[in-house]
Amino acid sequence: MLTTRDGVRPLGVADLEEFLALAGRDPVVNVFADYRARTTSLEPRWLGGEVWGRFEGGRMRAACHVGANLVPVQASPEDARAFAQRAIAKGRMASTVVGPHDAVKAFWQAVSTTWSTPREIRWQQPHLEIAGPPLVAPDPRVRRTTREDMAELYPACVAMYTEEVGLSPEIGGGSDLYRARVTQLVSRGWSFARFDEGRLVFKAEVACASPVAAQIQGVWVPPDRRGEGLAEAGMAAVVDLVRREIAPTVSLYVNEWNEPARRAYRSVGFAETARFSTVMF
């Protein structure tokens, strides 16, 4: 282990226990970083990037996941600015900066004159959680997907991603990589959908999970089937399945302007616990 009593340094396998304790101070908000640490043991070759720790008096006070996603962990604005100075020196690797609003805002203010112009910034994204049974009846037709569903599932995932992010995941020859990601989620049992006469009419996935929480992504209903309550009943089913079989608390974050989605999540029983921000390149 590198010995740094004060300042920022990359973490390694020997730092795993202390990092997990840090993330565990807010285990639902930090589920992505917790998941990445547990699945890689903070080994750089498996991370595909780095995790940085900020130390004070020999103790880790904050951290930052640095890969395709740059994610502050338990970082105050002061911590975020310290990580930003290292990020400026290293150059931008991330395609997305995402996490609690205050940390992301402080980080971005520090790097904005050096990094390239972002494609979009979403400053206010409610972070939602549910740790009990859903408040509406689960849709009994929602089930885990299988590889036999890919003909319907993969185009739905592309449509969802394109609608949400503003560009297709297949741009620049990315279809093989994105298809592999969708297949991986199916294989893990982290992909859920409802089909009506063979057509996908609702879907959602678990993006990451820890012993405490699972974060949902990719919630989508075809435009011509919206307004029928499919999202509410479908999410209730996902919450039920995930809480029973993956993790006791279910979380997600949503764009502030997406009022139909926010209404659906409120109906299911999700409550806001934090605000996230996302900077996309």
Side-chain angles (χ1 to χ4, degrees):
M1 183 196 304
L2 294 174
T3 55
T4 301
R5 289 189 58 79
D6 297 284
V8 176
R9 67 165 173 83
L11 303 181
V13 176
D15 299 298
L16 179 61
E17 184 177 349
E18 189 174 8
F19 176 83
L20 290 175
L22 177 76
R25 295 178 192 172
D26 197 343
V28 184
V29 163
N30 295 325
V31 62
F32 170 80
D34 186 295
Y35 167 73
R36 291 285 289 152
R38 291 177 189 274
T39 54
T40 65
S41 297
L42 298 182
E43 175 63 60
R45 60 178 174 168
W46 302 121
L47 275 167
E50 295 180 331
V51 175
W52 302 337
R54 187 179 188 211
F55 291 80
E56 188 175 78
R59 300 186 66 178
M60 192 185 306
R61 59 172 286 165
C64 188
H65 177 280
V66 187
N69 296 309
L70 190 149
V71 182
V73 180
Q74 294 300 109
S76 68
E78 179 188 349
D79 297 321
R81 287 188 285 270
F83 291 130
Q85 293 309 306
R86 186 176 183 90
I88 290 169
K90 298 273 289 185
R92 181 174 70 83
M93 296 182 287
S95 59
T96 303
V97 180
V98 60
H101 170 76
D102 289 347
V104 170
K105 183 178 180 180
F107 181 92
W108 176 243
Q109 288 174 337
V111 304
S112 60
T113 59
T114 303
W115 282 14
S116 58
T117 302
R119 188 168 49 80
E120 186 177 356
I121 300 178
R122 299 177 180 179
W123 281 127
Q124 296 290 338
Q125 296 175 298
H127 175 272
L128 311 177
E129 300 179 17
I130 183 170
L135 301 182
V136 299
D139 186 340
R141 298 179 64 179
V142 170
R143 60 169 174 82
R144 280 187 166 90
T145 62
T146 69
R147 294 196 180 206
E148 285 69 39
D149 298 315
M150 285 294 285
E152 277 286 314
L153 178 63
Y154 180 72
C157 290
V158 171
M160 178 283 306
Y161 187 101
T162 304
E163 183 177 346
E164 171 65 20
V165 177
L167 51 83
S168 170
E170 298 183 318
I171 285 177
S175 58
D176 288 347
L177 184 61
Y178 191 63
R179 185 178 291 273
R181 171 61 175 163
V182 173
T183 302
Q184 181 186 58
L185 293 174
V186 171
S187 299
R188 287 179 178 165
W190 285 8
S191 169
F192 306 90
R194 169 179 163 171
F195 298 86
D196 283 359
E197 297 181 351
R199 184 194 179 199
L200 186 149
V201 297
F202 166 83
K203 76 163 196 73
E205 297 93 38
V206 171
C208 51
S210 73
V212 173
Q215 187 179 91
I216 302 298
Q217 67 172 18
V219 181
W220 189 78
V221 172
D224 66 318
R225 296 296 303 271
R226 293 172 187 174
E228 300 178 23
L230 289 166
E232 289 90 337
M235 280 301 296
V238 170
V239 166
D240 212 26
L241 286 163
V242 170
R243 290 192 65 248
R244 188 167 62 244
E245 302 177 16
I246 298 175
T249 299
V250 181
S251 72
L252 54 82
Y253 56 98
V254 60
N255 293 316
E256 185 180 36
W257 44 259
N258 192 346
E259 188 53 40
R262 294 180 67 183
R263 281 198 304 270
Y265 299 141
R266 281 195 297 269
S267 297
V268 174
F270 282 89
E272 182 175 335
T273 60
R275 283 282 168 130
F276 271 27
S277 293
T278 302
V279 181
M280 296 183 288
F281 296 90

